[in-house]
Amino acid sequence: MDKGDHGLLARWAADCAERVLIFFEDEFPGDKRPREAVEAAQAWACGELTVGDARIAAFGAHAAARDTVRTSARAAARAAGHAAETAYVVGNARHAATYAATALGGAERDWQRTQLATHLWPIAFPPRQKY
């Protein structure tokens, strides 16, 4: 994957996560770890942050997710963590989107598709495997 597309996926993952941060922030208004992870994904995509720093922010968001029991709040923190993780594993963009959809509901997937270039859909929305 070229760096431009990788950056597009990171920004898209951050956008997906940012839409649901309110669910976490309503429950934990003083805990900025998920927001910092979203900001880290955005900064990495702009070349303003290292992969290592984005990864540290991702760990913080996932730790924040473990602090909540409400599904939407936990999903929002996980979305933020996966958005930041997209800096080092491009496939994590799809996980950010999935957790955001968990927090908001199924219609969120329609919005997500409109925000991403179609050539990146196979990465963000891989076909389901049959077992």
Side-chain angles (χ1 to χ4, degrees):
M1 164 155 305
D2 71 34
K3 189 171 182 157
D5 282 348
H6 194 165
L8 285 174
L9 280 164
R11 280 190 291 279
W12 173 76
D15 289 346
C16 291
E18 189 169 38
R19 288 171 54 88
V20 298
L21 278 179
I22 191 71
F23 295 115
F24 182 86
E25 292 173 340
D26 277 353
E27 187 172 337
F28 298 100
D31 191 338
K32 302 299 181 203
R33 293 176 292 177
R35 181 157 300 278
E36 290 167 353
V38 168
E39 290 169 356
Q42 293 164 335
W44 177 84
C46 293
E48 300 169 355
L49 194 72
T50 67
V51 170
D53 288 336
R55 192 171 187 190
I56 289 167
F59 292 152
H62 288 303
R66 290 189 296 273
D67 291 341
T68 184
V69 295
R70 196 168 49 130
T71 300
S72 60
R74 185 174 46 250
R78 293 277 183 217
H82 285 293
E85 288 172 353
T86 301
Y88 63 96
V89 178
V90 72
N92 280 316
R94 84 177 122 230
H95 301 304
T98 297
Y99 277 109
T102 298
L104 280 175
E108 180 64 5
R109 287 298 203 185
D110 294 334
W111 178 86
Q112 292 171 355
R113 278 183 169 66
T114 67
Q115 303 303 304
L116 187 64
T118 56
H119 76 280
L120 296 173
W121 285 11
I123 295 166
F125 309 107
R128 294 189 181 263
Q129 294 182 7
K130 295 180 182 179
Y131 295 97

